[in-house]
Amino acid sequence: RDTSVTGVQTCALPILPFTMIIAGVQMIGADGAIVTAMLEPIFAGVVAWIALGQVLTPSQIVGGAVVLAAVAAAQIARARAGA
């Protein structure tokens, strides 16, 4: 078994997401990146539900709704401040 390939994958592959995050922050700014990052757990839960068949509990669904409401409120406040 060739462990050198696994070692390269382990060391090199994590660089891609960080590079994409930095590029995204440069494109939409730090404020937008923070608000967008709050959506990551929501998307992870939806993907787990659809792709893996995991069941979301009522408290998880309520928590997701709270996060979505907070993101919407933050985007509205950001838009008003920029106007």
Side-chain angles (χ1 to χ4, degrees):
R1 187 168 134 170
D2 187 10
T3 58
S4 64
V5 172
T6 305
V8 169
Q9 290 173 342
T10 302
C11 295
L13 290 180
I15 294 171
L16 181 62
F18 291 115
T19 304
M20 293 176 74
I21 288 170
I22 291 169
V25 169
Q26 289 175 344
M27 290 176 62
I28 64 174
D31 295 346
I34 291 169
V35 172
T36 304
M38 288 192 293
L39 294 173
E40 183 179 355
I42 303 299
F43 290 125
V46 170
V47 168
W49 173 55
I50 293 171
L52 303 174
Q54 292 191 356
V55 178
L56 297 174
T57 65
S59 62
Q60 290 171 320
I61 293 169
V62 169
V66 169
V67 170
L68 289 175
V71 168
Q75 290 290 43
I76 291 168
R78 186 172 167 234
R80 287 184 181 162

